[in-house]
Amino acid sequence: MIPRIDFDPSAAAPLDGIRVVDLSRLVAGNMVSLQLADQGAEVIKIEDPKLGDPLRAWRVKGLSLHWKVYARNKKSLAINLRAQAGRDALLDLLATSQVLIENYRPGTLERMGLGPEVLHARNPGLIIVRITGFGQDGPYRDRPGFGTLVEAMSGFAAKNGYGDRPPVLPPLAMADMVSGLYGAYAVMIALRVVERGGRGQVIDLPLLEPMISVLGPDAATFRVSGDKPARTGSRSLTTSPRNVYPTSDGRFIAISASIQAMAERLFRAIGRPEVIEDPRFRTNTDRVRNIDACDGIVADWIAERTLAENMAVFEAAEVTATPIYEIDQLLDDPHVQARGVIVEAPDAEAGSVLMHNIIPRLSDTPGKLRSPAPDLGQHTASVLQSIGYDADRLAALAADGVIKEG
């Protein structure tokens, strides 16, 4: 059973006292600020008073589920940054903040009168995360940079899929997610610098470079061998057996026998110990060289048995194998349920929403789920009051269309 949780607004977490202002839209910036919010930072989403973050528009049956998951633990300040009064309010807020996240095209922040020089003059310790497709400089700095473009350009799509079919893009915002994790890590480094007496700094976070970094030593391999990465489906170019294998009842099993001892354990488990001494399969290099024959031995054995029968053998032999799960099977998995990997959180609109739990898990100072994703402008008044704006000033800003109160 999926564990149910209640949000705890008073829960303490490691980043209590860190204020993060998030100007970004869509995925990468929200991924950065989610990591910080889950660990206790006060994350204030700056949103357009009329439209809000475009992530709100990604709906399933009328529900903004992406927003509900990736804006949890955050606040919403709806303010018009096209108005000078809105930019002034943002400057006042940033004077009290430790981190700013933005994903405008390079130069946009400067044209708004909010470039790093201006911000650091007001708050020398401010850390500024600048998310773009391709970076703050270079020939492509001005190109729009959605993650799809980066997943294509980085080399990921070229090596993903099967050799006799076109390249395959990932079915998720992979570049944004990877860059978001790098960004949160970079913020923690920069906070440590400030903590030790250093200045705030600019974090240049393009989507392209983190994506390249997780693709392995492709550049080094190409320089040494002249070989480009091949599309091999679920096979590996470096180890065998490693693949997805169909069972007799229409399910699939994934196996990764990536060390010699595991490969030998697998061959013994399927009743083929003689394969271990076969010159074609004796070492990993031999098995990769004869990958079709090696895969065939494993695939033929698995295909004669159901998923349950296969897994019973592999679990008893401690072979590194697992079923391929659909999402419903993942949610039903007893390990996922026991550890609370997915939790059910209350939601005023949907009743409840499933979402991933706090990651990573710290033994003494874990992050907490403190609040659901905010309505547009829900915290406008409280945030501005926290920096000294009184009721008359708020009313004037609202009357001028500069802010929206939720």
Side-chain angles (χ1 to χ4, degrees):
M1 187 173 183
I2 299 295
R4 294 182 64 92
I5 60 98
D6 288 317
F7 292 106
D8 183 359
S10 64
L15 295 184
D16 284 343
I18 299 297
R19 173 172 277 182
V20 178
V21 175
D22 187 355
L23 292 178
S24 72
R25 296 153 294 173
L26 292 178
V27 182
N30 271 309
M31 189 64 169
V32 176
S33 59
L34 176 67
Q35 311 315 308
L36 305 175
D38 279 355
Q39 299 299 330
E42 180 193 23
V43 172
I44 301 170
K45 286 288 302 181
I46 305 297
E47 300 189 78
D48 180 271
K50 294 181 179 179
L51 301 176
D53 189 315
L55 200 63
R56 292 180 181 271
W58 291 11
R59 294 177 175 269
V60 178
K61 293 190 174 181
L63 298 172
S64 299
L65 297 180
H66 281 82
W67 177 255
K68 291 178 185 297
V69 171
Y70 289 101
R72 69 189 189 191
N73 286 338
K74 301 179 185 180
K75 296 179 178 179
S76 173
L77 170 54
I79 189 166
N80 181 8
L81 295 182
R82 295 178 179 84
Q84 184 61 50
R87 296 192 294 274
D88 290 343
L90 176 61
L91 270 172
D92 291 337
L93 179 62
L94 290 172
T96 70
S97 304
Q98 286 72 46
V99 182
L100 167 66
I101 301 168
E102 62 98 357
N103 69 342
Y104 297 119
R105 287 198 199 185
T108 301
L109 209 60
E110 286 80 358
R111 288 191 293 274
M112 294 169 64
L114 300 170
E117 297 80 8
V118 173
L119 299 179
H120 282 148
R122 186 81 177 269
N123 181 354
L126 184 68
I127 296 157
I128 306 170
V129 184
R130 310 197 72 175
I131 303 170
T132 58
F134 302 101
Q136 294 296 315
D137 54 23
Y140 300 159
R141 72 184 294 269
D142 295 321
R143 287 186 179 182
F146 289 124
T148 296
L149 308 183
V150 165
E151 290 146 7
M153 182 177 170
S154 64
F156 173 83
K159 65 188 296 184
N160 190 42
Y162 291 86
D164 59 347
R165 305 176 201 174
V168 177
L169 292 165
L172 72 161
M174 179 180 288
D176 295 83
M177 297 298 186
V178 171
S179 297
L181 295 174
Y182 269 94
Y185 166 65
V187 167
M188 299 309 299
I189 295 172
L191 284 171
R192 178 61 170 152
V193 171
V194 173
E195 183 182 71
R196 299 178 70 176
R199 290 176 53 84
Q201 55 189 303
V202 174
I203 297 171
D204 183 356
L205 183 65
L207 303 185
L208 177 63
E209 289 156 35
M211 192 65 195
I212 290 173
S213 78
V214 300
L215 293 179
D218 289 350
T221 300
F222 177 70
R223 170 66 64 84
V224 169
S225 68
D227 295 331
K228 299 176 183 178
R231 291 193 292 281
T232 59
S234 296
R235 284 179 173 173
S236 169
L237 295 171
T238 57
T239 186
S240 177
R242 189 267 200 180
N243 210 335
V244 171
Y245 305 93
T247 64
S248 65
D249 55 347
R251 295 288 300 278
F252 296 90
I253 285 179
I255 290 179
S256 178
S258 55
I259 60 174
Q260 183 66 23
M262 187 56 66
E264 294 178 6
R265 188 179 300 172
L266 170 62
F267 291 133
R268 291 191 185 99
I270 65 174
R272 296 295 301 274
E274 76 281 1
V275 172
I276 297 170
E277 297 302 325
D278 189 315
R280 296 173 298 166
F281 313 121
R282 188 174 291 137
T283 69
N284 183 66
T285 300
D286 296 329
R287 292 190 293 275
V288 172
R289 186 180 297 119
N290 297 282
I291 196 166
D292 287 338
C294 183
D295 253 352
I297 292 169
V298 178
D300 289 347
W301 191 88
I302 290 175
E304 295 175 354
R305 292 160 180 82
T306 66
L307 174 68
E309 291 167 342
N310 278 289
M311 288 306 302
V313 172
F314 293 144
E315 288 176 4
E318 297 186 343
V319 170
T320 43
T322 187
I324 298 289
Y325 276 167
E326 301 282 355
I327 185 60
D328 56 334
Q329 294 151 356
L330 174 70
L331 295 176
D332 286 340
D333 184 88
H335 180 83
V336 171
Q337 293 182 359
R339 282 183 56 85
V341 177
I342 305 292
V343 295
E344 186 174 6
D347 183 82
E349 184 181 19
S352 65
V353 171
L354 298 183
M355 59 181 65
H356 65 281
N357 210 336
I358 302 289
I359 306 167
R361 302 183 185 215
L362 282 68
S363 60
D364 294 336
T365 57
K368 297 291 184 180
L369 291 175
R370 300 185 313 282
S371 61
D375 294 334
L376 180 60
Q378 180 177 338
H379 302 95
T380 299
S382 61
V383 169
L384 292 179
Q385 286 168 350
S386 77
I387 59 172
Y389 283 44
D390 60 22
D392 289 341
R393 192 169 184 183
L394 292 177
L397 289 173
D400 291 339
V402 176
I403 63 172
K404 176 184 184 297
E405 298 184 62

